[in-house]
Amino acid sequence: MSNLQLGVIGNSSVGALVDGGGEIVWGCMPRLDGDAAFCSLLRPREDSADFGFAAVELSWLERTEQEYLPNTPILVTRLFDDRGGAVEIVDFAPRFRQYGRLFCPAQLVRIVRPLAGSPRITVRMRPADDYGRRRPEVTSGSNHIRYVGTANVLRLTTDCSITAVLEEMPFVLRDALSFVLGPDETMQGSVAEVARRFLELTDDYWHDWVRDLSIPFEWQEEIIRAAITLKLAAFDDTGAVVAALTTSIPESPGSGRNWDYRFCWLRDAYFVVNALNRLNATRTMERYLGYIINVAASSEGRLQPVYRISGRADLDEHIVEWLPGYRGMGPVRVGNQAWQQVQNDVYGSAILAATHAFFDRRLAKVGNAGLFRRLEVLGERAAALWDQPDAGLWELRGSAHVHTFSAVMCWVACDRLAKIARRLGLAEATHRWRTKADAIHAGICARAWSEKRGSFVATFDGDIMDASLLLLAELGFVAASDPRFAGTVAAVEKDLRRGDVLFRYTQADDFGEPENAFLVCTFWYIDALAALGRRDEARALFEKTLDKRNRLGLLSEDVNPVTGELWGNFPQTYSMVGLINCATRLSIPWDQAF
């Protein structure tokens, strides 16, 4: 059983993780990539050091249960003692429309209710400052507590005894209590009434949002949970979609593969946009496209792999020495050095995502000649770099090769520019970009095809496999019916499949040989099986992959191929997107369902 039995709450401004006992173990304020006010996730369970958390502890605890309210990210945790007492904790972040605009403040709400007996609880509210380095200064009033940090001030407004919270004194819970944690602003009206109204309106908002989704007949609950989780990873203010809400949960035990994923990777763009498109989540898709286009427009033709959710380019990486790490497995990193890497696939990723703007007539802002000219600058970079070494999509830190996937994405850049030009009626540009695309295609086939292996290979003139080769048909580089694609899938299966999962690669890298499988690769494999007509195999493997979700239906980045334990940053957008895309492709159509 995975230790990542966590639920995610959020509202596309802030997000937090709650464990099975109702403790908020991770949460960044005032936005998804901000300082971690709660970071007890990044310490061993047995470590009593205070690195920031929020808990409601039930005396004589016997058991717990946890679930989401249907079709929402509103999390309900119930605690039961051995004396007939029980309490319910409702956690959420407000999100709803009022006064003609969306209300989604950097705010977490917790409602604690007695369910049975005379439950005795202790409320512990201990936000941290500077990633757990220190406790903020505390001041209080008649119904609030202020936590004054070096860069942020949080205010807890509550109808609980302020003394009980400050001194963490146990008391018998007789009536519902409300806790609203957020910006240092005075709350108007009763906190109980505000919390109740926020809960009702947030519940209504998410039901309406889910009602507008387009989903297939099969796996509906799984897709809805994945879609909500994807929405929580989308930062409303800029449109960016973060790869995960966490930093430094290792890819495997003690591996040192600990990275900060609270940023926006351009390579995720195509898959995220595809998933949002399939779901009919067009507003979220349009905002994400806007973010990508803005990044591309300010890049002067040189893109980096990853950006902050603000669109800023600097992600300087450093180690937080005072945090011991998830289950004691450091280091804890803030920032990501990958922003300085050369990854030539990013040009194709940006153009591929932006292509939607030229072909999707639902969007308010459709692509035009001005946007096309901006994308052409990126295309020129792709045409110049397709056969140059880079770190590759797996961000290898200690070596550089000419990676086939990077070269294919450079081809994608030119191919899609040719299609956009044709759409715009630009004959000369269509011919120019088609000529470049065809030349790159021929070069890749000459250098990345291995007659010995009967497949495409991971690097030019090499002989090893990596899972990105499964995307060749998805990207349109070869047809699914092309024997070369079947040969490539067979070679990837042979080298990278381990039981019911697929590794991204198996050769040693900067940190040794990979121990756990990158989950999205298994979804890519399932898609490839379906494309080859092996739908029964694909469906069976998809069902097994769904079984790897935690009890709340969420996935992290990696999974142990033997134990099924989840590892890596959480919840992982790439994994949830893979689930959505596979389910959409594999489900029987609605008109064949009855």
Side-chain angles (χ1 to χ4, degrees), residues 231 236 238-241 272-273 276-277 280-294 353 356-357 360-367:
K231 178 64 174 173
D236 258 353
T238 64
V241 177
V272 172
V273 167
L276 292 170
N277 196 11
N280 196 40
T282 47
R283 287 186 178 87
T284 306
M285 181 180 77
E286 189 164 21
R287 290 195 62 73
Y288 186 40
L289 286 173
Y291 171 86
I292 293 167
I293 290 167
N294 284 334
H356 279 262
D360 193 334
R361 292 305 178 193
R362 295 171 299 172
L363 303 183
K365 297 178 181 178
V366 296

mmCIF file of all heavy atoms in Angstrom, residues 231 236 238-241 272-273 276-277 280-294 353 356-357 360-367:
data_model
loop_
_atom_site.group_PDB
_atom_site.id
_atom_site.type_symbol
_atom_site.label_atom_id
_atom_site.label_comp_id
_atom_site.label_asym_id
_atom_site.label_seq_id
_atom_site.Cartn_x
_atom_site.Cartn_y
_atom_site.Cartn_z
ATOM 1 N N LYS A 231 -7.657 20.248 -13.122
ATOM 2 C CA LYS A 231 -8.116 21.626 -12.959
ATOM 3 C C LYS A 231 -7.431 22.290 -11.764
ATOM 4 O O LYS A 231 -7.072 23.473 -11.815
ATOM 5 C CB LYS A 231 -9.636 21.638 -12.772
ATOM 6 C CG LYS A 231 -10.246 23.015 -12.539
ATOM 7 C CD LYS A 231 -10.074 23.924 -13.746
ATOM 8 C CE LYS A 231 -10.809 25.248 -13.545
ATOM 9 N NZ LYS A 231 -10.497 26.198 -14.643
ATOM 10 N N ASP A 236 -5.134 29.702 -12.160
ATOM 11 C CA ASP A 236 -6.090 30.556 -12.869
ATOM 12 C C ASP A 236 -5.516 31.892 -13.309
ATOM 13 O O ASP A 236 -5.814 32.377 -14.402
ATOM 14 C CB ASP A 236 -7.296 30.829 -11.955
ATOM 15 C CG ASP A 236 -8.486 29.965 -12.327
ATOM 16 O OD1 ASP A 236 -8.432 29.261 -13.342
ATOM 17 O OD2 ASP A 236 -9.481 29.989 -11.581
ATOM 18 N N THR A 238 -2.700 32.987 -14.392
ATOM 19 C CA THR A 238 -1.888 33.072 -15.608
ATOM 20 C C THR A 238 -2.246 32.011 -16.643
ATOM 21 O O THR A 238 -1.853 32.138 -17.801
ATOM 22 C CB THR A 238 -0.393 32.918 -15.286
ATOM 23 O OG1 THR A 238 -0.155 31.610 -14.748
ATOM 24 C CG2 THR A 238 0.058 33.971 -14.274
ATOM 25 N N GLY A 239 -2.952 30.959 -16.226
ATOM 26 C CA GLY A 239 -3.268 29.874 -17.140
ATOM 27 C C GLY A 239 -2.275 28.734 -17.106
ATOM 28 O O GLY A 239 -2.501 27.694 -17.737
ATOM 29 N N ALA A 240 -1.154 28.887 -16.390
ATOM 30 C CA ALA A 240 -0.140 27.829 -16.328
ATOM 31 C C ALA A 240 -0.699 26.574 -15.666
ATOM 32 O O ALA A 240 -1.567 26.651 -14.792
ATOM 33 C CB ALA A 240 1.078 28.319 -15.549
ATOM 34 N N VAL A 241 -0.184 25.421 -16.078
ATOM 35 C CA VAL A 241 -0.533 24.146 -15.441
ATOM 36 C C VAL A 241 0.740 23.560 -14.853
ATOM 37 O O VAL A 241 1.709 23.327 -15.585
ATOM 38 C CB VAL A 241 -1.159 23.166 -16.451
ATOM 39 C CG1 VAL A 241 -1.455 21.821 -15.777
ATOM 40 C CG2 VAL A 241 -2.444 23.747 -17.040
ATOM 41 N N VAL A 272 -1.620 17.918 -22.189
ATOM 42 C CA VAL A 272 -2.585 18.618 -21.340
ATOM 43 C C VAL A 272 -3.674 19.245 -22.204
ATOM 44 O O VAL A 272 -4.875 19.123 -21.907
ATOM 45 C CB VAL A 272 -1.881 19.684 -20.477
ATOM 46 C CG1 VAL A 272 -2.901 20.538 -19.742
ATOM 47 C CG2 VAL A 272 -0.945 19.021 -19.476
ATOM 48 N N VAL A 273 -3.279 19.923 -23.274
ATOM 49 C CA VAL A 273 -4.256 20.551 -24.156
ATOM 50 C C VAL A 273 -5.169 19.499 -24.766
ATOM 51 O O VAL A 273 -6.397 19.682 -24.857
ATOM 52 C CB VAL A 273 -3.549 21.373 -25.258
ATOM 53 C CG1 VAL A 273 -4.522 21.777 -26.358
ATOM 54 C CG2 VAL A 273 -2.905 22.614 -24.658
ATOM 55 N N LEU A 276 -7.667 18.401 -22.071
ATOM 56 C CA LEU A 276 -8.661 19.443 -21.833
ATOM 57 C C LEU A 276 -9.639 19.546 -23.008
ATOM 58 O O LEU A 276 -10.840 19.760 -22.819
ATOM 59 C CB LEU A 276 -7.972 20.784 -21.602
ATOM 60 C CG LEU A 276 -7.158 20.904 -20.304
ATOM 61 C CD1 LEU A 276 -6.331 22.184 -20.309
ATOM 62 C CD2 LEU A 276 -8.070 20.866 -19.082
ATOM 63 N N ASN A 277 -9.127 19.357 -24.201
ATOM 64 C CA ASN A 277 -9.975 19.401 -25.388
ATOM 65 C C ASN A 277 -10.975 18.255 -25.377
ATOM 66 O O ASN A 277 -12.173 18.442 -25.634
ATOM 67 C CB ASN A 277 -9.098 19.348 -26.642
ATOM 68 C CG ASN A 277 -9.857 19.784 -27.889
ATOM 69 O OD1 ASN A 277 -10.959 20.305 -27.809
ATOM 70 N ND2 ASN A 277 -9.268 19.564 -29.038
ATOM 71 N N ASN A 280 -13.763 18.817 -23.065
ATOM 72 C CA ASN A 280 -14.550 20.023 -23.358
ATOM 73 C C ASN A 280 -14.326 21.107 -22.298
ATOM 74 O O ASN A 280 -15.188 21.966 -22.088
ATOM 75 C CB ASN A 280 -16.045 19.700 -23.473
ATOM 76 C CG ASN A 280 -16.823 20.821 -24.148
ATOM 77 O OD1 ASN A 280 -16.350 21.422 -25.107
ATOM 78 N ND2 ASN A 280 -18.009 21.113 -23.622
ATOM 79 N N ALA A 281 -13.177 21.058 -21.627
ATOM 80 C CA ALA A 281 -12.825 22.098 -20.653
ATOM 81 C C ALA A 281 -12.146 23.241 -21.402
ATOM 82 O O ALA A 281 -10.962 23.529 -21.218
ATOM 83 C CB ALA A 281 -11.917 21.525 -19.575
ATOM 84 N N THR A 282 -12.911 23.898 -22.266
ATOM 85 C CA THR A 282 -12.308 24.818 -23.222
ATOM 86 C C THR A 282 -11.770 26.087 -22.562
ATOM 87 O O THR A 282 -10.788 26.659 -23.031
ATOM 88 C CB THR A 282 -13.328 25.200 -24.308
ATOM 89 O OG1 THR A 282 -14.565 25.546 -23.688
ATOM 90 C CG2 THR A 282 -13.563 24.040 -25.250
ATOM 91 N N ARG A 283 -12.398 26.557 -21.476
ATOM 92 C CA ARG A 283 -11.892 27.776 -20.841
ATOM 93 C C ARG A 283 -10.515 27.541 -20.242
ATOM 94 O O ARG A 283 -9.608 28.365 -20.373
ATOM 95 C CB ARG A 283 -12.871 28.263 -19.770
ATOM 96 C CG ARG A 283 -14.145 28.879 -20.336
ATOM 97 C CD ARG A 283 -15.013 29.463 -19.249
ATOM 98 N NE ARG A 283 -16.210 30.080 -19.793
ATOM 99 C CZ ARG A 283 -17.342 29.429 -20.049
ATOM 100 N NH1 ARG A 283 -17.404 28.128 -19.802
ATOM 101 N NH2 ARG A 283 -18.384 30.054 -20.553
ATOM 102 N N THR A 284 -10.355 26.407 -19.548
ATOM 103 C CA THR A 284 -9.046 26.076 -18.978
ATOM 104 C C THR A 284 -8.025 25.884 -20.091
ATOM 105 O O THR A 284 -6.883 26.344 -19.983
ATOM 106 C CB THR A 284 -9.143 24.800 -18.121
ATOM 107 O OG1 THR A 284 -10.171 24.960 -17.146
ATOM 108 C CG2 THR A 284 -7.829 24.505 -17.427
ATOM 109 N N MET A 285 -8.434 25.218 -21.162
ATOM 110 C CA MET A 285 -7.539 25.011 -22.302
ATOM 111 C C MET A 285 -7.119 26.342 -22.911
ATOM 112 O O MET A 285 -5.945 26.555 -23.228
ATOM 113 C CB MET A 285 -8.226 24.135 -23.352
ATOM 114 C CG MET A 285 -7.356 23.841 -24.565
ATOM 115 S SD MET A 285 -8.179 22.814 -25.809
ATOM 116 C CE MET A 285 -9.261 24.001 -26.586
ATOM 117 N N GLU A 286 -8.080 27.241 -23.064
ATOM 118 C CA GLU A 286 -7.771 28.525 -23.697
ATOM 119 C C GLU A 286 -6.807 29.350 -22.851
ATOM 120 O O GLU A 286 -5.890 29.987 -23.372
ATOM 121 C CB GLU A 286 -9.065 29.309 -23.934
ATOM 122 C CG GLU A 286 -8.878 30.545 -24.776
ATOM 123 C CD GLU A 286 -10.180 31.084 -25.319
ATOM 124 O OE1 GLU A 286 -11.242 30.757 -24.750
ATOM 125 O OE2 GLU A 286 -10.156 31.815 -26.323
ATOM 126 N N ARG A 287 -6.985 29.309 -21.532
ATOM 127 C CA ARG A 287 -6.077 30.049 -20.655
ATOM 128 C C ARG A 287 -4.680 29.441 -20.711
ATOM 129 O O ARG A 287 -3.672 30.152 -20.672
ATOM 130 C CB ARG A 287 -6.610 30.066 -19.222
ATOM 131 C CG ARG A 287 -7.852 30.936 -19.072
ATOM 132 C CD ARG A 287 -8.155 31.243 -17.626
ATOM 133 N NE ARG A 287 -7.091 31.988 -16.971
ATOM 134 C CZ ARG A 287 -6.823 33.256 -17.175
ATOM 135 N NH1 ARG A 287 -7.523 33.952 -18.049
ATOM 136 N NH2 ARG A 287 -5.857 33.859 -16.504
ATOM 137 N N TYR A 288 -4.596 28.125 -20.784
ATOM 138 C CA TYR A 288 -3.298 27.457 -20.873
ATOM 139 C C TYR A 288 -2.615 27.791 -22.198
ATOM 140 O O TYR A 288 -1.412 28.070 -22.245
ATOM 141 C CB TYR A 288 -3.495 25.957 -20.719
ATOM 142 C CG TYR A 288 -2.207 25.157 -20.643
ATOM 143 C CD1 TYR A 288 -1.111 25.621 -19.919
ATOM 144 C CD2 TYR A 288 -2.089 23.932 -21.280
ATOM 145 C CE1 TYR A 288 0.060 24.879 -19.849
ATOM 146 C CE2 TYR A 288 -0.930 23.188 -21.204
ATOM 147 C CZ TYR A 288 0.142 23.669 -20.488
ATOM 148 O OH TYR A 288 1.303 22.940 -20.413
ATOM 149 N N LEU A 289 -3.388 27.786 -23.274
ATOM 150 C CA LEU A 289 -2.824 28.181 -24.566
ATOM 151 C C LEU A 289 -2.314 29.613 -24.513
ATOM 152 O O LEU A 289 -1.267 29.938 -25.070
ATOM 153 C CB LEU A 289 -3.885 28.040 -25.662
ATOM 154 C CG LEU A 289 -4.228 26.619 -26.117
ATOM 155 C CD1 LEU A 289 -5.404 26.640 -27.077
ATOM 156 C CD2 LEU A 289 -3.018 25.953 -26.759
ATOM 157 N N GLY A 290 -3.068 30.477 -23.836
ATOM 158 C CA GLY A 290 -2.631 31.862 -23.696
ATOM 159 C C GLY A 290 -1.313 31.969 -22.961
ATOM 160 O O GLY A 290 -0.431 32.767 -23.336
ATOM 161 N N TYR A 291 -1.153 31.163 -21.911
ATOM 162 C CA TYR A 291 0.113 31.155 -21.163
ATOM 163 C C TYR A 291 1.267 30.729 -22.076
ATOM 164 O O TYR A 291 2.327 31.374 -22.114
ATOM 165 C CB TYR A 291 0.000 30.199 -19.976
ATOM 166 C CG TYR A 291 1.302 29.939 -19.258
ATOM 167 C CD1 TYR A 291 1.738 30.793 -18.249
ATOM 168 C CD2 TYR A 291 2.097 28.850 -19.588
ATOM 169 C CE1 TYR A 291 2.937 30.566 -17.587
ATOM 170 C CE2 TYR A 291 3.300 28.613 -18.930
ATOM 171 C CZ TYR A 291 3.708 29.471 -17.937
ATOM 172 O OH TYR A 291 4.898 29.231 -17.296
ATOM 173 N N ILE A 292 1.062 29.658 -22.830
ATOM 174 C CA ILE A 292 2.116 29.142 -23.715
ATOM 175 C C ILE A 292 2.468 30.172 -24.786
ATOM 176 O O ILE A 292 3.648 30.418 -25.080
ATOM 177 C CB ILE A 292 1.666 27.816 -24.361
ATOM 178 C CG1 ILE A 292 1.536 26.725 -23.288
ATOM 179 C CG2 ILE A 292 2.644 27.373 -25.451
ATOM 180 C CD1 ILE A 292 0.809 25.496 -23.764
ATOM 181 N N ILE A 293 1.453 30.783 -25.365
ATOM 182 C CA ILE A 293 1.694 31.785 -26.413
ATOM 183 C C ILE A 293 2.442 32.994 -25.845
ATOM 184 O O ILE A 293 3.355 33.540 -26.480
ATOM 185 C CB ILE A 293 0.359 32.187 -27.067
ATOM 186 C CG1 ILE A 293 -0.171 31.012 -27.903
ATOM 187 C CG2 ILE A 293 0.528 33.434 -27.926
ATOM 188 C CD1 ILE A 293 -1.610 31.170 -28.350
ATOM 189 N N ASN A 294 2.091 33.403 -24.629
ATOM 190 C CA ASN A 294 2.799 34.526 -23.999
ATOM 191 C C ASN A 294 4.258 34.194 -23.738
ATOM 192 O O ASN A 294 5.155 35.024 -23.941
ATOM 193 C CB ASN A 294 2.113 34.917 -22.688
ATOM 194 C CG ASN A 294 0.839 35.706 -22.919
ATOM 195 O OD1 ASN A 294 0.686 36.360 -23.949
ATOM 196 N ND2 ASN A 294 -0.085 35.631 -21.981
ATOM 197 N N ALA A 353 1.026 22.694 -29.294
ATOM 198 C CA ALA A 353 -0.070 23.158 -28.445
ATOM 199 C C ALA A 353 -0.767 24.358 -29.085
ATOM 200 O O ALA A 353 -2.008 24.427 -29.133
ATOM 201 C CB ALA A 353 0.456 23.524 -27.067
ATOM 202 N N HIS A 356 -3.754 24.375 -31.853
ATOM 203 C CA HIS A 356 -5.185 24.358 -31.538
ATOM 204 C C HIS A 356 -5.830 25.714 -31.789
ATOM 205 O O HIS A 356 -7.000 25.794 -32.184
ATOM 206 C CB HIS A 356 -5.388 23.967 -30.066
ATOM 207 C CG HIS A 356 -5.310 22.496 -29.818
ATOM 208 N ND1 HIS A 356 -6.425 21.699 -29.723
ATOM 209 C CD2 HIS A 356 -4.255 21.690 -29.645
ATOM 210 C CE1 HIS A 356 -6.057 20.452 -29.496
ATOM 211 N NE2 HIS A 356 -4.746 20.420 -29.441
ATOM 212 N N ALA A 357 -5.080 26.786 -31.551
ATOM 213 C CA ALA A 357 -5.649 28.124 -31.688
ATOM 214 C C ALA A 357 -6.060 28.425 -33.126
ATOM 215 O O ALA A 357 -6.893 29.314 -33.367
ATOM 216 C CB ALA A 357 -4.641 29.166 -31.199
ATOM 217 N N ASP A 360 -9.439 25.353 -33.716
ATOM 218 C CA ASP A 360 -10.578 25.168 -32.812
ATOM 219 C C ASP A 360 -11.421 26.440 -32.811
ATOM 220 O O ASP A 360 -11.048 27.456 -32.228
ATOM 221 C CB ASP A 360 -10.077 24.860 -31.394
ATOM 222 C CG ASP A 360 -11.183 24.361 -30.490
ATOM 223 O OD1 ASP A 360 -12.363 24.689 -30.744
ATOM 224 O OD2 ASP A 360 -10.885 23.642 -29.514
ATOM 225 N N ARG A 361 -12.574 26.387 -33.438
ATOM 226 C CA ARG A 361 -13.419 27.567 -33.598
ATOM 227 C C ARG A 361 -14.206 27.909 -32.337
ATOM 228 O O ARG A 361 -14.905 28.928 -32.314
ATOM 229 C CB ARG A 361 -14.386 27.361 -34.771
ATOM 230 C CG ARG A 361 -13.692 27.324 -36.119
ATOM 231 C CD ARG A 361 -12.851 28.579 -36.310
ATOM 232 N NE ARG A 361 -12.124 28.567 -37.587
ATOM 233 C CZ ARG A 361 -11.152 29.399 -37.883
ATOM 234 N NH1 ARG A 361 -10.769 30.294 -36.980
ATOM 235 N NH2 ARG A 361 -10.530 29.330 -39.035
ATOM 236 N N ARG A 362 -14.115 27.082 -31.297
ATOM 237 C CA ARG A 362 -14.783 27.432 -30.036
ATOM 238 C C ARG A 362 -14.038 28.521 -29.288
ATOM 239 O O ARG A 362 -14.609 29.201 -28.429
ATOM 240 C CB ARG A 362 -14.871 26.197 -29.128
ATOM 241 C CG ARG A 362 -15.740 25.079 -29.662
ATOM 242 C CD ARG A 362 -15.565 23.842 -28.802
ATOM 243 N NE ARG A 362 -14.184 23.380 -28.817
ATOM 244 C CZ ARG A 362 -13.711 22.405 -28.032
ATOM 245 N NH1 ARG A 362 -14.523 21.820 -27.160
ATOM 246 N NH2 ARG A 362 -12.451 22.018 -28.111
ATOM 247 N N LEU A 363 -12.764 28.684 -29.579
ATOM 248 C CA LEU A 363 -11.933 29.599 -28.799
ATOM 249 C C LEU A 363 -12.255 31.052 -29.134
ATOM 250 O O LEU A 363 -12.513 31.404 -30.286
ATOM 251 C CB LEU A 363 -10.456 29.325 -29.076
ATOM 252 C CG LEU A 363 -9.974 27.892 -28.796
ATOM 253 C CD1 LEU A 363 -8.475 27.786 -29.048
ATOM 254 C CD2 LEU A 363 -10.307 27.461 -27.372
ATOM 255 N N ALA A 364 -12.218 31.879 -28.094
ATOM 256 C CA ALA A 364 -12.529 33.297 -28.284
ATOM 257 C C ALA A 364 -11.454 33.988 -29.117
ATOM 258 O O ALA A 364 -11.741 34.905 -29.888
ATOM 259 C CB ALA A 364 -12.675 33.987 -26.927
ATOM 260 N N LYS A 365 -10.206 33.559 -28.936
ATOM 261 C CA LYS A 365 -9.100 34.179 -29.655
ATOM 262 C C LYS A 365 -8.466 33.137 -30.564
ATOM 263 O O LYS A 365 -7.680 32.308 -30.124
ATOM 264 C CB LYS A 365 -8.068 34.740 -28.676
ATOM 265 C CG LYS A 365 -8.620 35.856 -27.792
ATOM 266 C CD LYS A 365 -7.590 36.345 -26.798
ATOM 267 C CE LYS A 365 -8.157 37.444 -25.916
ATOM 268 N NZ LYS A 365 -7.179 37.904 -24.896
ATOM 269 N N VAL A 366 -8.828 33.177 -31.835
ATOM 270 C CA VAL A 366 -8.286 32.204 -32.774
ATOM 271 C C VAL A 366 -6.967 32.708 -33.337
ATOM 272 O O VAL A 366 -6.662 33.901 -33.321
ATOM 273 C CB VAL A 366 -9.289 31.928 -33.918
ATOM 274 C CG1 VAL A 366 -10.553 31.296 -33.353
ATOM 275 C CG2 VAL A 366 -9.621 33.207 -34.675
ATOM 276 N N GLY A 367 -6.176 31.765 -33.830
ATOM 277 C CA GLY A 367 -4.879 32.113 -34.375
ATOM 278 C C GLY A 367 -5.001 32.963 -35.633
ATOM 279 O O GLY A 367 -5.941 32.834 -36.405
#
